[in-house]
Amino acid sequence: MGSGEITITEAEQRRASARILDVREDFEVAEGMIPGALHIPMGQLQARLGELDPAVPVIAVCRSGNRSAAVADALNGAGYKADTMAGGMSAWTRAGLPTT
């Protein structure tokens, strides 16, 4: 089963019930991330999978939506329920949504 793509509005609405997973690199996260998000760079995901609760839906986020789609597909294949946020942090920031 492939991942679903959700809008930034849907991601904002689901933040309280889902785990936002930021898969960008450290230098990208330094520019700001979604409040409460868990930062695990894409290359570290396999080693840090235990930090995610399989019972909590995941919304994967990257800069534009490409890496997060691959991560969401991998998480779904590993038994998680994961979606990707269309447009990534670029769209989130353009919309004026909160960052830390």
Side-chain angles (χ1 to χ4, degrees), residues 6-8 11-16 18-24 28-29 31-39 59-62 85-86 88-93 97-100:
I6 63 171
T7 66
I8 56 172
E12 170 66 7
Q13 292 167 346
R14 290 174 42 189
R15 271 183 30 198
R19 168 55 98 178
I20 304 289
L21 175 63
D22 194 321
V23 300
R24 297 175 299 154
E28 295 171 293
V29 169
E31 299 169 5
M33 63 190 243
I34 297 171
L38 173 64
H39 175 226
I59 300 171
V61 176
C62 67
M85 187 176 78
M89 284 302 292
S90 296
W92 182 274
T93 305
L97 292 165
T99 59
T100 57

Side-chain angles (χ1 to χ4, degrees), residues 9-74:
T9 304
E10 289 171 309
E12 170 66 7
Q13 292 167 346
R14 290 174 42 189
R15 271 183 30 198
S17 62
R19 168 55 98 178
I20 304 289
L21 175 63
D22 194 321
V23 300
R24 297 175 299 154
E25 297 300 320
D26 292 341
F27 72 92
E28 295 171 293
V29 169
E31 299 169 5
M33 63 190 243
I34 297 171
L38 173 64
H39 175 226
I40 301 178
M42 184 175 178
Q44 297 177 18
L45 183 65
Q46 197 61 43
R48 296 178 59 188
L49 210 49
E51 294 178 41
L52 295 172
D53 181 346
V56 177
V58 174
I59 300 171
V61 176
C62 67
R63 185 183 307 218
S64 65
N66 293 327
R67 285 173 286 176
S68 60
V71 166
D73 284 343

